[in-house]
Amino acid sequence: MYNKRSDTATEFIDHDEIMASIQWAQDNRDNLPLIKTLIERADDCRGLSHREAALLLECADERLNGEIFALAKRIKHRFYGNRIVMFAPLYLSNYCVNGCLYCPYHAKNRTIPRRKLTQEEIAREVIALQDMGHKRLAIEAGEHPTMNPIEYILESIKTIYSIRHKNGAIRRVNVNIAATTVENYRKLKEAGIGTYILFQETYHKEDYERLHPTGPKSNYAYHTEAMDRAMQAGIDDVGIGVLFGLQRYRYDFVGLLMHAEHLESVYGCGPHTISVPRICPADDIDTRDFENVINDDIFQKIVAVLRIAVPYTGMIVSTRESAESRRKVLELGVSQLSGGSHTSVGGYTDDELDDDTTAQFDVSDRRTLDEVVSWLLDLGHIPSFCTACYREGRTGDRFMSLVKSGQIANCCQPNAMMTLMEYLEDYASPSTREKGLKMIEREARLIPNEKIRSKTMEYIRRISSGERDFRF
Ligand code: SF4
Ligand code: SF4
């Protein structure tokens, strides 16, 4: 029985409710006045329910689809302006006891080399990432009780925060590790993590169990209730996501929104981010084995409707997507992007490493961070290396209330420009620097609040004279 406030996975992600929502959406797909009403109502940025969002996803009317995409762009612009927050993944270890059928790190894959970074190797990877210009990382590790225990993760976080190379610093470490206990989440919170990220992969219980035949991850309830335990432990920024293509996309789309509604109703704060990975090839993984792979049009529609349904939630796209696919979804709602990524253990420092055979997934966008920054500037976006909210204690519901009141705009835009200025001073190529400086000059004048505008300009001048780390 569906109950969004329940603490039981199969009640807040109720199969019958998902099926009924999909059916309702399909029954109403030609009800154009209803769809039109939903689009008009969603313009107030208060979001949509999972059923309403399912109907927009189902809409096949060309004109109304045009309105849906236009609304997604408007909402994106209202909350995120032209800023894109940059980050990079850092793979610590690919030892894993799980049997996930879609991931090359699954325990039975004997061809992939296994590796776990020592603290010295982590320090070297972090220096390489700092030298690229990154300030925000997402650490990744397989699940292995003896090779990757929580103590290893905690020690690694400490190492990452401790490295200061030239003007570099990692200011926010987001963590993507397996579902764990409240006690371990508490330890992660104390270690000063940013967002705790865990993808559901698929919300369809039977398929989930088929895709995870062995290992602790095969426990659907334990995995699905992980964010509840994280929030009970005091981690108030959590990131959810599904791997589109494992189950039929409508099912996972509705499940994702029901999960967001559950967290919002129980903890007063929905997910901080939603990631939208699509299944892609890797060592031992052939996407032809998955019959539900989604095409670009559906992918873009999913991003647009998610933007409308949960306007306050950041949306992340990785280098799984090609440059062209990323360009399209950036306009429609994506607010965070990885750049210059390596998805294998040791990938930032080991030149011998072949990403094609050791990576968790094939990287479609192989450009360097500088190339991605330059490309974003060409497209009129401001690449932002901002980590201010977490460092100012603006997390969870404090963050959400600032976003909902629109006040966040007074922080994001100046912070984006100041962190971009740091990047241009320390890491950019001459041509990227030139474009970036023009962008800052143009955008700084547009800050509406006069006091913040003049403070921003002063800080930017001081950054060019060598000072660092200003923030609003
Ligand atoms: Fe292990 Fe994660 Fe890969 Fe599953 S998805 S095999 S848990 S690394
Ligand atoms: Fe993100 Fe906060 Fe920085 Fe805005 S000010 S970009 S919300 S960290």
Side-chain angles (χ1 to χ4, degrees):
M1 177 77 169
Y2 178 47
N3 175 5
K4 71 175 169 184
R5 294 188 56 79
S6 169
D7 56 7
T8 302
T10 47
E11 291 180 1
F12 64 79
I13 305 291
D14 177 63
H15 172 75
D16 292 341
E17 172 59 21
I18 296 182
M19 296 310 285
S21 300
I22 295 170
Q23 191 58 55
W24 179 81
Q26 287 176 342
D27 292 346
N28 282 289
R29 65 184 302 204
D30 296 323
N31 187 344
L32 303 190
L34 176 59
I35 297 172
K36 178 106 183 123
T37 308
L38 291 181
I39 297 171
E40 281 166 7
R41 211 193 70 209
D43 199 25
D44 68 2
C45 294
R46 292 216 203 126
L48 292 174
S49 71
H50 59 272
R51 278 202 181 198
E52 293 165 341
L55 178 54
L56 294 202
L57 191 67
E58 202 59 43
C59 171
D61 182 83
E62 216 174 298
R63 196 178 48 80
L64 288 179
N65 272 337
E67 288 187 27
I68 289 170
F69 283 113
L71 175 58
K73 284 183 194 176
R74 269 203 310 282
I75 292 178
K76 160 86 203 276
H77 197 75
R78 227 174 276 166
F79 285 104
Y80 302 92
N82 52 353
R83 301 174 299 277
I84 302 291
V85 170
M86 307 302 300
F87 76 99
L90 171 59
Y91 282 73
L92 300 180
S93 166
N94 62 5
Y95 285 93
C96 192
V97 293
N98 287 312
C100 314
L101 298 189
Y102 48 83
C103 172
Y105 295 166
H106 67 82
K108 288 200 179 117
N109 186 357
R110 304 274 176 237
T111 61
I112 202 158
R114 299 285 167 175
R115 187 168 176 196
K116 169 187 170 179
L117 297 181
T118 63
Q119 296 307 309
E120 291 70 33
E121 287 170 330
I122 291 172
R124 282 202 289 278
E125 291 271 297
V126 169
I127 288 171
L129 283 154
Q130 288 184 3
D131 280 347
M132 289 160 74
H134 279 295
K135 300 281 186 267
R136 181 188 283 246
L137 299 185
I139 58 170
E140 321 266 342
E143 179 166 16
H144 200 294
T146 52
M147 293 305 284
N148 314 329
I150 191 73
E151 291 72 25
Y152 170 67
I153 304 294
L154 297 171
E155 195 187 354
S156 305
I157 294 168
K158 213 166 160 189
T159 301
I160 295 167
Y161 277 134
S162 73
I163 306 293
R164 293 277 187 281
H165 179 67
K166 298 181 182 161
N167 281 335
I170 298 303
R171 297 171 180 161
R172 179 175 177 128
V173 178
N174 297 334
V175 174
N176 182 356
I177 59 162
T180 185
T181 59
V182 173
E183 197 190 337
N184 284 346
Y185 285 128
R186 219 167 266 137
K187 291 178 184 167
L188 288 172
K189 164 85 182 165
E190 282 161 16
I193 69 162
T195 310
Y196 171 65
I197 303 160
L198 183 70
F199 298 160
Q200 179 63 30
E201 322 295 7
T202 177
Y203 285 96
H204 191 281
K205 186 168 181 290
E206 263 173 43
D207 265 34
Y208 180 95
E209 287 164 353
R210 182 179 57 75
L211 290 157
H212 304 93
T214 53
K217 194 168 169 180
S218 59
N219 185 335
Y220 176 84
Y222 191 74
H223 189 82
T224 312
E225 292 159 12
M227 291 314 190
D228 294 77
R229 292 193 297 282
M231 285 191 145
Q232 284 154 18
I235 297 178
D236 40 23
D237 284 353
V238 299
I240 62 174
V242 292
L243 185 51
F244 280 108
L246 292 181
Q247 230 302 331
R248 288 175 204 287
Y249 71 90
R250 293 178 178 87
Y251 195 100
D252 281 330
F253 174 86
V254 175
L256 198 54
L257 288 173
M258 283 167 71
H259 200 175
E261 287 166 10
H262 162 70
L263 296 174
E264 169 101 44
S265 74
V266 178
Y267 304 98
C269 176
H272 189 67
T273 53
I274 290 182
S275 297
V276 287
R278 278 193 281 185
I279 192 153
C280 71
D283 176 69
D284 199 35
I285 306 296
D286 188 337
T287 47
R288 284 171 300 189
D289 296 339
F290 296 88
E291 57 191 28
N292 297 319
V293 174
I294 57 171
N295 65 32
D296 288 355
D297 290 344
I298 294 171
F299 183 59
Q300 285 154 28
K301 185 86 185 279
I302 286 172
V303 169
V305 182
L306 282 176
R307 181 70 300 142
I308 296 169
V310 282
Y312 313 115
T313 303
M315 225 189 301
I316 302 179
V317 75
S318 76
T319 49
R320 277 174 193 264
E321 294 297 324
S322 66
E324 182 52 18
S325 170
R326 280 159 45 112
R327 185 185 67 74
K328 287 191 181 139
V329 292
L330 279 177
E331 285 177 19
L332 296 172
V334 165
S335 56
Q336 285 191 34
L337 206 65
S338 51
S341 303
H342 286 274
T343 59
S344 45
V345 181
Y348 295 102
T349 48
D350 190 342
D351 295 337
E352 305 289 300
L353 210 59
D354 179 1
D355 257 357
D356 288 338
T357 54
T358 60
Q360 193 192 26
F361 57 85
D362 281 3
V363 169
S364 289
D365 187 344
R366 290 174 182 256
R367 294 171 298 174
T368 63
L369 180 62
D370 189 70
E371 285 167 339
V372 175
V373 167
S374 165
W375 168 76
L376 286 170
L377 290 166
D378 284 340
L379 294 174
H381 297 289
I382 307 178
S384 170
F385 295 85
C386 179
T387 55
C389 283
Y390 150 74
R391 297 167 78 220
E392 291 290 320
R394 292 193 296 256
T395 60
D397 51 359
R398 274 150 297 166
F399 169 80
M400 283 299 171
S401 60
L402 217 71
V403 179
K404 288 178 184 175
S405 68
Q407 283 307 311
I408 197 76
N410 285 325
C411 307
C412 296
Q413 195 77 349
N415 286 337
M417 280 181 272
M418 293 187 303
T419 54
L420 175 62
M421 187 67 189
E422 289 186 340
Y423 176 84
L424 300 177
E425 287 293 317
D426 292 336
Y427 309 105
S429 63
S431 67
T432 304
R433 183 180 149 80
E434 197 182 321
K435 281 183 221 172
L437 290 175
K438 276 191 193 141
M439 169 72 86
I440 290 173
E441 203 190 317
R442 200 168 56 235
E443 292 285 327
R445 290 204 200 109
L446 303 177
I447 297 174
N449 182 308
E450 199 193 321
K451 219 163 135 196
I452 294 180
R453 184 169 65 238
S454 72
K455 214 62 193 142
T456 305
M457 287 174 165
E458 180 203 325
Y459 288 156
I460 285 172
R461 271 193 302 277
R462 286 168 65 182
I463 291 168
S464 71
S465 311
E467 288 185 68
R468 294 290 176 272
D469 206 9
F470 296 104
R471 60 180 178 268
F472 287 97

